[in-house]
């Protein structure tokens, strides 16, 4: 039963990362005068191929179909820098994946588990249970934020 719940979560989380249009093209969501950038250092990228995709999520959108802010950058072996611009101050959680083959989506196996590396802010580890917003939450200010995410395989 836990595997089915995790599979459903994985599909939802991957949909949130890839977005309804099948990939990230830049920032989305409302812009406010005190909005600032979030700089994310995404490590664990195995080679310089494809793109690294990051979504900044509210409590309601975390592991759901959409997150209001997102960006991507060409993958760089080791660590890839991704900047999500125009994010208003608040509490968010970040999720990331490496689109290694550059097909614009997070690939999954027959069981719905990601075949590409994924990660969450605060390096929240995901096992066989649903990731919780609280485990990945961070506070973003009008001065901007910097995060580090390590990509991993999902067991």
């Amino acid at each position: 039963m836990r595997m089915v719940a995790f599979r459903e979560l994985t599909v939802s989380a991957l949909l949130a990362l890839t977005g309804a249009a099948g990939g990230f093209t830049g920032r989305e969501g409302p812009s406010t005068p005190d909005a600032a950038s979030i700089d994310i250092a995404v490590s664990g990228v195995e080679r310089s191929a494809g793109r690294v995709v990051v979504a900044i999520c509210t409590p309601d959108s975390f592991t759901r179909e959409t997150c209001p802010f997102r960006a991507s950058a060409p993958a760089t072996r080791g660590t890839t820098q991704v900047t999500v611009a125009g994010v208003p101050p608040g509490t968010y959680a970040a999720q990331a994946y490496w689109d290694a083959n550059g097909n614009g989506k997070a690939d999954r196996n027959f069981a719905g588990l990601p075949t590409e590396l994924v990660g969450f802010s605060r390096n929240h580890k995901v096992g066989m249970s649903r990731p919780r917003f609280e485990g990945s939450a961070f506070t973003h200010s009008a001065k901007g934020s910097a995060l580090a995410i390590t990509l991993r395989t999902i067991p």
Side-chain angles (χ1 to χ4, degrees), residues 23-125:
F24 295 125
T25 57
R27 185 190 68 77
E28 293 186 2
S31 182
T32 62
D34 55 350
S37 295
I38 300 175
D39 297 317
I40 306 105
V42 182
S43 62
V45 179
E46 295 173 349
R47 63 185 188 285
S48 297
R51 298 188 70 78
V52 173
V53 181
V54 177
I56 304 298
C57 310
T58 62
D60 292 339
S61 66
F62 187 62
T63 71
R64 303 285 188 260
E65 292 185 20
T66 59
C67 292
F69 305 96
R70 50 190 162 215
S72 69
T76 301
R77 183 174 188 221
T79 300
T80 300
Q81 297 292 327
V82 179
T83 298
V84 181
V87 181
T91 301
Y92 300 96
Q95 47 195 30
Y97 78 96
W98 174 34
D99 179 12
N101 58 11
N103 66 354
K105 63 181 182 175
D107 297 326
R108 302 181 288 278
N109 65 17
F110 69 93
L113 297 173
T115 58
E116 295 173 313
L117 301 174
V118 299
F120 299 92
S121 47
R122 294 179 49 198
N123 285 319
H124 181 64
K125 292 183 182 177

Side-chain angles (χ1 to χ4, degrees), residues 46 114-118 126 150-155:
E46 295 173 349
T115 58
E116 295 173 313
L117 301 174
V118 299
V126 177
T150 301
L151 299 177
R152 298 179 169 85
T153 58
I154 298 289

